[in-house]
Amino acid sequence: QVTLKESGPVLVKPTETVTLTCTVSGFSLSNPLMGVSWIRQPPGKALEWLAHIFSNDERSYSTSLKSRLTISKDTSKSQVVLTVTDMDPVDTATYFCARIRAHIVVPTGYYYYMDVWGTGTTVTVSS
Amino acid sequence: DIQMTQSPSSLSASVGDTVTITCRASQSISSYLNWYQQKVGEAPKVLVYAASSLQRGVPSRFSGSGSGTDFTLTISTLQPEDFATYFCQQTYSMWTFGQGTTVDIK
């Protein structure tokens, strides 16, 4: 059974750096057809993709948040870590991690989608 | 970045209705489009990927279509468990989500 579990602080102060950890089970972070993505959702608002990382360490970041995000993985620990610097109250949200699957269509290419999600961890930014 | 615009933002429907949700991309994204369903207090769940491929285990009343810039998610014969919020997502470049469409009970 594939599961992902997010963990991190519940409350952080403005300007602080937050580190969020996604611990996965049921699949390997070294699987070439899979990756892990971070997504967040402010209360009552839409989903926002933040970053993702693949087995070959290929990373991608949201353009608007790129300067504040770092994603990394520890395959031996089955963990993907996202750090967000300079937190602000507008960063208050539920942060989800999700497994990325690749659907291969020859010769078109790879179609990615997020097929298993964690339950999310809520981070509140307040002084 | 590619902007994804969903319409309508919300709709009211009855059990048994057919519902259509539209997603428009600000530039062509070929078929790099996914649809997710999210219920209150839960994580999203993928319904359709690559614009028209139904995820395993998703009921066949859900279907996706489109390519380029215009896409639709159709729910035929709406069931009580389908009242939720639906998001489209493009994975062509710098992934982005639409703002969501909430389907509630009329």
Side-chain angles (χ1 to χ4, degrees):
Chain A
Q1 182 190 5
V2 174
T3 63
L4 298 93
K5 179 68 175 174
E6 306 89 348
S7 59
V10 174
L11 179 65
V12 300
K13 291 181 168 51
T15 76
E16 288 185 342
T17 293
V18 68
T19 297
L20 302 172
T21 301
C22 177
T23 302
V24 311
S25 64
F27 73 102
S28 171
L29 295 176
S30 61
N31 188 314
L33 295 178
M34 295 177 182
V36 171
S37 188
W38 281 95
I39 308 97
R40 72 180 181 181
Q41 186 172 39
K45 295 191 177 180
L47 300 167
E48 180 182 19
W49 172 76
L50 300 177
H52 64 232
I53 189 166
F54 287 96
S55 58
N56 60 358
D57 255 1
E58 176 193 337
R59 305 155 206 234
S60 188
Y61 296 100
S62 161
T63 302
S64 61
L65 293 167
K66 185 173 186 175
S67 64
R68 299 173 51 210
L69 301 176
T70 303
I71 191 168
S72 62
K73 65 179 174 68
D74 185 330
T75 302
S76 64
K77 292 183 178 179
S78 295
Q79 292 181 333
V80 174
V81 174
L82 181 75
T83 61
V84 187
T85 62
D86 194 23
M87 291 289 280
D88 183 272
V90 301
D91 298 312
T92 294
T94 297
Y95 287 75
F96 296 98
C97 61
R99 183 177 76 168
I100 303 168
R101 287 292 300 269
H103 171 67
I104 303 171
V105 177
V106 177
T108 312
Y110 287 60
Y111 293 83
Y112 295 109
Y113 60 100
M114 294 176 281
D115 71 331
V116 183
W117 293 60
T119 55
T121 185
T122 300
V123 180
T124 299
V125 186
S126 174
S127 54
Chain B
D1 285 6
I2 299 172
Q3 307 303 315
M4 305 301 293
T5 303
Q6 289 182 233
S7 60
S9 296
S10 64
L11 65 92
S12 297
S14 301
V15 172
D17 285 352
T18 292
V19 165
T20 298
I21 299 168
T22 297
C23 182
R24 174 164 289 176
S26 59
Q27 67 180 73
S28 177
I29 58 170
S30 184
S31 296
Y32 293 90
L33 191 284
N34 305 320
W35 288 99
Y36 299 86
Q37 175 195 65
Q38 186 180 32
K39 298 181 180 179
V40 174
E42 297 183 6
K45 166 188 166 185
V46 65
L47 301 174
V48 171
Y49 59 91
S52 61
S53 296
L54 195 67
Q55 171 70 345
R56 189 182 307 172
V58 173
S60 59
R61 63 180 179 272
F62 291 92
S63 63
S65 64
S67 67
T69 59
D70 295 315
F71 302 85
T72 59
L73 174 71
T74 300
I75 312 172
S76 305
T77 317
L78 201 65
Q79 296 299 300
E81 60 268 30
D82 300 336
F83 293 99
T85 300
Y86 296 84
F87 294 94
C88 62
Q89 178 212 16
Q90 65 84 15
T91 59
Y92 181 82
S93 172
M94 293 296 123
W95 302 2
T96 47
F97 287 92
Q99 82 279 17
T101 295
T102 299
V103 178
D104 61 23
I105 302 172
K106 184 183 289 183

